[in-house]
Amino acid sequence: MAAGLRAVRRWALVAAPPGLAFTRSAFVVKKANNAQPNWLGVGLAFSTSAVLWALLIKQHNEDVMEYERRKQERGHKCTECS
């Protein structure tokens, strides 16, 4: 059984393309510096969040107003209006 596991490991190493095990990621160029945050990214993230919350609250208020308007129309039982 141990020989079978060694064979599987050996075939796994042979099957891998050469050099891929030691490559660097193209997206990591330098180590993150936490002493100097990316203020542009921080500002963009917070402003995007604020805009989305503002749009959500605005849409909610419009929906509540439409709900109240329709609720009043349902309760209006006038023969002159119809």
Side-chain angles (χ1 to χ4, degrees):
M1 180 169 217
L5 288 175
R6 281 191 298 250
V8 169
R9 287 186 189 144
R10 183 175 46 215
W11 281 107
L13 292 175
V14 171
L20 287 181
F22 299 107
T23 58
R24 281 182 60 153
S25 173
F27 301 105
V28 179
V29 176
K30 61 183 178 179
K31 197 172 184 181
N33 185 3
N34 293 331
Q36 291 179 317
N38 180 4
W39 289 114
L40 179 64
V42 170
L44 187 62
F46 278 115
S47 62
T48 303
S49 179
V51 167
L52 289 174
W53 272 106
L55 290 174
L56 180 71
I57 291 170
K58 179 179 174 258
Q59 184 65 45
H60 172 73
N61 290 338
E62 289 175 0
D63 290 344
V64 168
M65 286 174 35
E66 180 68 17
Y67 171 76
E68 293 294 332
R69 185 187 65 80
R70 289 183 182 189
K71 190 166 81 171
Q72 282 184 352
E73 282 181 0
R74 273 188 313 227
H76 187 74
K77 304 274 191 217
C78 180
T79 56
E80 296 170 1
C81 297
S82 337

